[in-house]
Amino acid sequence: MKFVSPAGVKKVQTDMTPMIDVVFQLMVFFLFTFKIAPVEGEIGVNMPAITAGSSAQKQDVTIERVPIKLLAGNSGGLDQVMLGERFLGGGEQALRSLSQVLKDTYAGPGGVVNDVEVEVDADRQLRYHWVIRATNAIMYAGIDAINFRDPKIDPRHK
Amino acid sequence: MKFDHAKPSVIDLDMTPMIDMTFQLIAFFMFTINFNNDIVNKDVQLPVAEIARPVERAMLRPLFLNVDREGRLLTGTDVGNIDLRDATQERKLIEYLSAEKEHILDEMYAKFAKLDESEELKATVVIRAHEDAEYGPVQDLIRTCRVAGFSRYSLRAQLKQRPTQ
């Protein structure tokens, strides 16, 4: 029987080239597909499903409903904000006023607003970001119950 | 004068640090790669809302609806884009939403084994509309979703602060 003496063991040289090739290919792929996505947030809204006969929805009489109208101007800008019958002006300044008026009128101790639901009625031509900004202003006043009025479902006023 | 005529020895480069670094980079890219490109359309520039909540993980598969600047619903499927301003495409939208609803209901059956018929459709509709899109088409889309039986909506927005002008 033949034994190999320890002195006969040679150093094994592994060829790293294919591995490095593959690794660099992967690097290039990931580098080209890499995109920093902006952080997204959400505004949760519950709107009941429309079924046959749902137009006569039960409404909680203990909740005060506050109508807010967002009127569009030229090129879809926010021309006018109406809180009930009150005009608050247009643009970003009007949204700040809206937030302040809602807070002053409905916020209880600690800024908590209870039993108030805001119904937003926005013009169809209004840019979407104004609707989101208005929602932002309403939520900033401490009101989470927001409903978006759809004139085709609920043609009450207008 | 004496010259050294010894044969030059093979230079052994130590590749370990480079391979370490490269694997670190690959691991980083692998963890940050986004496979949701088909449902989260990057061309849709979301509006900014400072008060929006961080996105919660939905119990069921959410239904992503991307609306571009021109008011088109980008389905990302074979159905193609649906122009929400075009009344003639309403049927196409209803069919698309009905098909999505069926998929979600199948998922609900599979997950909960039994589904109470009176139970509402638990899926959340995620509205990702371009900030400069008109509100009208988005309103029509939400109404059609409500007719299809959806009642939970998540309006997506960017969380970052808008730079002061």
Side-chain angles (χ1 to χ4, degrees):
Chain A
M1 203 170 174
K2 192 182 177 186
F3 292 96
V4 181
S5 62
V9 176
K10 286 181 180 173
K11 193 183 173 187
V12 180
Q13 281 270 335
T14 31
D15 188 7
M16 303 290 276
T17 319
M19 193 196 75
I20 292 168
D21 280 354
V22 171
V23 166
F24 274 104
Q25 293 272 5
L26 280 168
M27 275 280 294
V28 170
F29 167 75
F30 283 124
L31 272 168
F32 279 101
T33 55
F34 184 66
K35 251 185 181 177
I36 299 169
V39 184
E40 286 187 18
E42 65 176 356
I43 297 168
V45 182
N46 281 333
M47 283 183 275
I50 301 165
T51 50
S54 66
S55 57
Q57 285 170 13
K58 281 190 284 181
Q59 292 206 331
D60 191 345
V61 287
T62 60
I63 292 177
E64 185 176 352
R65 285 179 174 75
V66 182
I68 291 174
K69 272 191 182 183
L70 307 173
L71 305 175
N74 293 331
S75 67
L78 183 62
D79 191 50
Q80 199 62 246
V81 177
M82 281 179 74
L83 175 61
E85 297 298 316
R86 186 176 167 184
F87 286 91
L88 298 173
E92 198 70 56
Q93 183 60 42
L95 294 179
R96 275 194 284 272
S97 305
L98 173 69
S99 192
Q100 194 57 50
V101 171
L102 286 173
K103 208 182 276 183
D104 294 345
T105 314
Y106 300 106
V112 181
V113 180
N114 290 317
D115 302 332
V116 173
E117 185 189 272
V118 165
E119 189 183 64
V120 178
D121 181 8
D123 274 355
R124 290 180 63 82
Q125 294 76 27
L126 192 68
R127 297 285 169 203
Y128 181 66
H129 69 88
W130 283 115
V131 178
I132 293 296
R133 283 188 196 185
T135 311
N136 192 63
I138 295 162
M139 289 176 81
Y140 194 72
I143 300 170
D144 284 334
I146 300 169
N147 183 26
F148 292 94
R149 197 178 85 84
D150 189 331
K152 288 188 181 170
I153 301 167
D154 181 20
R156 270 179 291 158
H157 26 244
K158 222 171 194 178
Chain B
M1 201 173 170
K2 193 183 175 187
F3 291 98
D4 188 6
H5 289 289
K7 285 181 183 174
S9 59
V10 177
I11 300 164
D12 224 5
L13 259 177
D14 188 8
M15 304 288 276
T16 319
M18 193 198 74
I19 292 168
D20 280 356
M21 266 294 292
T22 315
F23 274 108
Q24 293 268 7
L25 281 168
I26 286 183
F28 168 75
F29 285 125
M30 278 179 74
F31 282 111
T32 54
I33 195 166
N34 188 5
F35 291 106
N36 292 338
N37 284 341
D38 51 339
I39 53 172
V40 179
N41 196 303
K42 291 280 180 291
D43 297 330
V44 174
Q45 178 77 34
L46 294 176
V48 176
E50 292 86 358
I51 212 156
R53 287 189 297 267
V55 177
E56 287 173 17
R57 204 171 156 216
M59 192 167 70
L60 280 173
R61 179 174 67 90
L63 173 57
F64 279 87
L65 299 176
N66 293 283
V67 180
D68 72 359
R69 188 197 292 258
E70 280 75 36
R72 287 174 304 198
L73 175 67
L74 311 173
T75 65
T77 63
D78 298 338
V79 178
N81 298 341
I82 301 169
D83 192 346
L84 299 169
R85 294 170 306 175
D86 185 358
T88 59
Q89 297 207 10
E90 195 180 349
R91 172 57 43 196
K92 195 177 170 185
L93 175 64
I94 291 168
E95 282 170 5
Y96 170 70
L97 289 174
S98 301
E100 289 295 321
K101 183 187 168 184
E102 285 305 312
H103 285 142
I104 293 167
L105 282 174
D106 288 346
E107 205 175 279
M108 279 176 81
Y109 275 113
K111 197 164 184 175
F112 304 116
K114 192 182 168 188
L115 183 71
D116 183 0
E117 281 191 13
S118 65
E119 202 171 6
E120 61 171 322
L121 190 54
K122 285 199 169 71
T124 303
V125 177
V126 179
I127 308 276
R128 297 185 78 258
H130 195 285
E131 62 174 359
D132 289 330
E134 286 185 358
Y135 175 62
V138 180
Q139 191 180 49
D140 294 341
L141 177 63
I142 293 174
R143 185 177 54 254
T144 315
C145 288
R146 289 176 69 185
V147 172
F150 294 97
S151 61
R152 297 173 184 199
Y153 298 87
S154 163
L155 308 178
R156 286 288 167 91
Q158 283 184 62
L159 276 174
K160 70 176 180 188
Q161 296 272 334
R162 189 179 282 274
T164 49
Q165 290 165 355

